[in-house]
Amino acid sequence: MKITGPKGTHDILYKNIYKWQFIESQLKNLVELYDYQEMRTPIFENTDLFLRGVGDTTDIVDKEMYTFKDKGDRSITLRPEGTAGVVRSFIEHSCYNEVLPGKFYYYGPMFRYSRPQAGRYRQFHQFGVEALGSADPFLDGEVLELMMNMFKALGLKQLKLEINSVGCPVCRPIHKEKLKDYLKSHYDQLCPTCQSRYEKNPLRIFDCKSLTCQEIIQKGPYVTDNLCDDCENHFIKVKEYLDMVELEYEVNKKMVRGLDYYTKTAFEVSAGREGSQSSIGGGGRYDGLVEELGGPELSGIGFAIGLERIVMTMDEQMLFEGKFESVNKVFIASVSSNEIPETVRLVSLLRKNDIHALRDTMNRKLKAQFKYANKIGADYVITIGDEEVSSKIYTLKNMKTSKEESYVESDLINILKGENNEFKK
Ligand code: HAM
């Protein structure tokens, strides 16, 4: 029986890898410009990290974690997101004694056991950014600016940035009580999931797909209406920054994010698509997380971008056109098996000189070797017959122009290394 990849995973094939490499290099360049440095943390962590970090009332922890016991009977979880791991590492290595704010970025696979659909995978990739140690609302603004500039650097169109303030441990409990007071008289109309949310986390009712629940929650109080002065002023300052740098945004009072650690600023971005998998990135401030995970009382803010959704949107918006950078390839053909040693020697020599060279390894006849050279997009072909073996003079054929010229070995290398670009024209 054929073995296929596990449900909800996907392969990034060699012919599409340039898309991922393009995105990753653009994003890396940009975040480094903003002085973020890369952190690489394990893709599995002790389960407690996510219980405490992401929060046990969230769908991620409640339903979506890949958790298992290892052979030492430890509970291990494949990371569903990157923030908790970076914060754990920041604390574990006392990075807070170094430069503050600590500014980190990461990218790699994340794992969530949810129902797969277009744009939603069980193994997916995020590119994320975390800034730890500053409570300055202008940092929120700068982080938002960076995120939007990342999307712009990729050429994405129809970008929509939505922001909200989800309050803090001072004002959120007050809001929660007001919300519960309001919901009490509607409790029987709520769906069973929202009835359980009512006790644990009534704010999450905003995420419910049921029309009845939506109708009820929309008429209730919004967290933004119950912010304390500190959160209110913080939110005003964030918006002030966005206006200063002329970044467009919408305040979406309904937005609650799917992770428990957020305080104050929360945000999401979409690019043209509507619906539940439309978010290409999201994030927010998490001022209590460092302390919650055993570190000092330090603020944090960050975001993560979903790379599968970026690739999908860039495909739809046709943004990969012209992004494939091919290198000059030289194919060395042999007229018969007698010349194979010379092709081996020459290919090896060219590679030592940083030239992308290759030869046939399928025992093809000469004609089939030329066909192969075409298929792999060789820019040049050198054919080795007994004459070339004895004279050590090689004829280089430019496959685009069909122009041919003969060189001794050293000239051949110089030409191919681009010291004389004349031939390439
Ligand atoms: P998140 O909103 O859960 O936030 O995920 C961020 C992005 O990852 C989403 O906007 C989406 O593009 C992508 N994503 C999430 N789940 C899936 C999935 N199953 N399949 C494909 N793409 C997905 C976080 O993960 C936070 N850690 C972000 C953050 C960093 N907040 C502060 N710092």
Side-chain angles (χ1 to χ4, degrees):
M1 208 179 68
K2 203 163 71 180
I3 299 178
T4 56
K7 190 172 172 186
T9 66
H10 66 102
D11 300 310
I12 306 170
L13 292 182
Y14 67 96
K15 50 193 167 197
N16 288 324
I17 200 71
Y18 77 97
K19 299 179 180 178
W20 291 75
Q21 289 170 342
F22 170 75
I23 293 170
E24 284 159 10
S25 79
Q26 293 285 311
L27 299 186
K28 269 178 72 168
N29 287 345
L30 196 63
V31 293
E32 284 176 5
L33 193 72
Y34 279 70
D35 208 33
Y36 285 81
Q37 286 170 303
E38 190 178 351
M39 278 271 223
R40 293 191 188 179
T41 61
I43 59 165
F44 63 88
E45 297 272 0
N46 290 317
T47 303
D48 279 348
L49 175 68
F50 302 114
L51 297 183
R52 267 163 63 190
V54 176
D56 53 9
T57 66
T58 61
D59 280 355
I60 295 180
V61 168
D62 208 23
K63 304 186 204 141
E64 298 178 355
M65 293 213 300
Y66 275 92
T67 298
F68 57 94
K69 283 277 173 79
D70 72 5
K71 291 198 170 76
D73 208 31
R74 301 172 195 91
S75 181
I76 295 293
T77 296
L78 300 185
R79 62 180 184 193
E81 58 99 56
T83 312
V86 168
V87 171
R88 192 238 348 112
S89 174
F90 174 80
I91 298 167
E92 191 169 333
H93 303 285
S94 310
C95 302
Y96 45 81
N97 288 330
E98 293 155 22
V99 185
L100 289 181
K103 295 167 78 177
F104 312 109
Y105 75 90
Y106 53 90
Y107 58 100
M110 307 291 160
F111 307 85
R112 294 184 193 175
Y113 188 85
S114 49
R115 197 168 51 79
Q117 58 188 83
R120 189 161 77 192
Y121 296 90
R122 290 184 173 169
Q123 175 175 329
F124 59 99
H125 299 77
Q126 284 185 342
F127 192 109
V129 155
E130 314 292 349
L132 304 172
S134 164
D136 183 355
F138 278 7
L139 177 63
D140 304 31
E142 195 183 288
V143 163
L144 281 162
E145 190 188 9
L146 167 61
M147 186 186 197
M148 296 312 283
N149 281 344
M150 283 160 81
F151 295 134
K152 287 175 193 163
L154 298 174
L156 286 162
K157 295 181 275 241
Q158 293 174 273
L159 292 169
K160 186 161 109 185
L161 166 63
E162 293 177 280
I163 62 170
N164 194 19
S165 176
V166 295
C168 70
V170 174
C171 52
R172 206 160 33 203
I174 300 169
H175 167 72
K176 209 165 148 182
E177 280 319 306
K178 285 191 182 170
L179 184 60
K180 279 172 82 173
D181 270 356
Y182 160 77
L183 288 170
K184 206 181 270 166
S185 55
H186 301 279
Y187 184 84
D188 292 340
Q189 293 150 265
L190 294 174
C191 73
T193 314
C194 287
Q195 285 184 346
S196 71
R197 282 174 173 153
Y198 174 84
E199 268 314 321
K200 286 205 288 183
N201 197 349
L203 266 79
R204 305 271 316 151
I205 297 176
F206 274 114
D207 282 350
C208 187
K209 304 231 165 32
S210 138
L211 285 179
T212 320
C213 295
Q214 274 304 326
E215 235 167 70
I216 296 169
I217 195 83
Q218 304 266 352
K219 292 193 188 125
Y222 291 102
V223 61
T224 328
D225 302 328
N226 291 311
L227 296 179
C228 60
D229 286 350
D230 183 32
C231 287
E232 180 78 50
N233 290 332
H234 189 96
F235 200 34
I236 291 170
K237 284 276 177 201
V238 174
K239 290 184 277 189
E240 212 176 282
Y241 183 98
L242 299 182
D243 292 338
M244 280 189 310
V245 297
E246 297 178 3
L247 199 70
E248 277 180 38
Y249 64 88
E250 277 174 35
V251 174
N252 177 355
K253 288 181 167 199
K254 288 189 293 181
M255 192 210 303
V256 284
R257 302 256 309 126
L259 301 105
D260 272 358
Y261 49 58
Y262 291 115
T263 53
K264 298 192 168 100
T265 320
F267 47 90
E268 265 175 26
V269 180
S270 62
R273 293 170 149 259
E274 298 288 327
S276 55
Q277 310 314 317
S278 62
S279 161
I280 54 171
R285 181 164 274 288
Y286 45 87
D287 286 346
L289 185 62
V290 181
E291 211 183 349
E292 176 64 37
L293 295 178
E297 205 181 309
L298 284 178
S299 306
I301 178 163
F303 63 83
I305 288 174
L307 297 181
E308 277 75 7
R309 293 187 193 172
I310 296 286
V311 171
M312 204 165 80
T313 315
M314 288 182 70
D315 271 331
E316 282 167 5
Q317 299 187 356
M318 307 215 298
L319 300 175
F320 289 116
E321 247 69 351
K323 294 289 185 285
F324 179 75
E325 278 182 35
S326 64
V327 287
N328 277 329
K329 283 187 200 175
V330 189
F331 180 77
I332 318 281
S334 53
V335 173
S336 74
S337 57
N338 294 341
E339 293 81 33
I340 287 178
E342 178 62 0
T343 65
V344 169
R345 189 192 70 83
L346 201 55
V347 165
S348 170
L349 178 74
L350 294 182
R351 286 177 178 160
K352 277 184 200 131
N353 283 281
D354 286 333
I355 296 160
H356 191 123
L358 72 168
R359 50 180 286 277
D360 173 53
T361 51
M362 298 283 286
N363 274 324
R364 292 181 173 95
K365 296 261 179 300
L366 187 60
K367 218 168 148 196
Q369 288 182 50
F370 290 148
K371 243 181 159 171
Y372 170 58
N374 265 326
K375 225 172 175 174
I376 57 165
D379 299 281
Y380 305 103
V381 171
I382 298 170
T383 307
I384 311 285
D386 49 6
E387 219 181 292
E388 282 76 13
V389 174
S390 55
S391 70
K392 297 268 185 286
I393 291 177
Y394 306 101
T395 303
L396 188 64
K397 180 173 180 183
N398 182 320
M399 298 300 278
K400 273 192 209 100
T401 61
S402 292
K403 193 172 148 189
E404 291 188 343
E405 236 158 281
S406 299
Y407 300 98
V408 295
E409 198 173 275
S410 55
D411 287 346
L412 178 73
I413 290 170
N414 285 342
I415 289 280
L416 290 173
K417 278 178 99 168
E419 283 172 38
N420 178 352
N421 281 320
E422 194 51 30
F423 197 85
K424 290 187 186 160
K425 286 178 194 151

